Amino acid sequence: MLHSIRLVITGGAAAVVALTAVPAANAVSAQETRAAKSTAAVVTLRYDDSRAAGWESAIAAGVASWNNNVENVKLVEAAPGTRAEIQIVATSGWPQASLGPVRPGGRARVELGNQAVAQGHDKTRIAAHELGHNLGLPDTKPGPCSQLMSGSSAGTSCKNAVPDAAEQARVEAAYRNGATTPADGRVLVDAR
């Protein structure tokens, strides 16, 4: 229901102002507008972890860490039999990944190496760190535990799997408005 209010101001000259109230059900909040804009620019990347047995919970936690900390790129598990931009496999060697930023339709690889786990490194941190490479982040070694991309240089006691503000900002910039900057293509091996 619309309501009109007419206000007459007198005093030498008369003026009429008409105000129309819009029903609350039709109003769009600023928050909804921002959400719609950010959704339009979100790049979705699919990953296939079907060859990463034993790493499922670490991968899910690493993916959640990125999805909870950046807005314009989202990682989703690929449906069986569909193409995925990110291939995740478990290996007996040291963790490594291709350096992105990977784009929809592109290819990136993560190797979750059990050698690092045998040396005491945290599986979730490894998974989140290697995905960070696919999202365009190089290593920042040596570095503190607070930097996800410091990787193994932070030591085996480091369990942080959350990108810091600078790392988040770099990924946001790499995927701003679905940007099409090509991936670097290098493979980064995370051995000390």
Side-chain angles (χ1 to χ4, degrees):
M1 172 185 238
L2 294 177
H3 300 284
S4 291
I5 301 170
R6 293 192 190 274
L7 176 62
V8 177
I9 301 171
T10 59
V16 177
V17 177
L19 302 173
T20 303
V22 177
N26 291 337
V28 176
S29 72
Q31 183 178 8
E32 290 170 325
T33 302
R34 280 191 305 275
K37 285 181 183 176
S38 69
T39 301
V42 172
V43 173
T44 300
L45 300 173
R46 296 164 306 208
Y47 67 91
D48 175 1
D49 64 354
S50 62
R51 297 187 304 152
W55 286 83
E56 295 86 356
S57 63
I59 293 166
V63 164
S65 179
W66 282 109
N67 286 346
N68 292 334
N69 287 289
V70 294
E71 293 182 4
N72 59 6
V73 63
K74 293 298 173 203
L75 303 171
V76 297
E77 190 169 4
T82 62
R83 187 179 188 287
E85 286 83 10
I86 301 172
Q87 299 295 315
I88 305 174
V89 299
T91 70
S92 59
W94 198 263
Q96 60 184 1
S98 49
L99 182 60
V102 66
R103 299 292 176 207
R107 282 280 193 200
R109 183 173 171 92
V110 167
E111 294 184 11
L112 300 173
N114 285 312
Q115 185 177 356
V117 176
Q119 291 182 16
H121 294 281
D122 182 70
K123 279 182 147 183
T124 300
R125 180 172 168 83
I126 292 168
H129 173 92
E130 298 307 326
L131 287 166
H133 288 317
N134 287 174
L135 296 176
L137 299 178
D139 287 315
T140 55
K141 294 180 181 180
C145 182
S146 61
Q147 291 177 344
L148 175 61
M149 300 313 293
S150 67
S152 62
S153 71
T156 57
S157 64
C158 181
K159 309 290 185 223
N160 174 40
V162 177
D164 71 11
E167 293 165 332
Q168 292 171 31
R170 285 186 72 181
V171 170
E172 293 285 358
Y175 289 93
R176 183 166 290 124
N177 299 319
T180 57
T181 305
D184 183 293
R186 291 182 290 162
V187 174
L188 304 176
V189 178
D190 287 312
R192 288 191 254 195

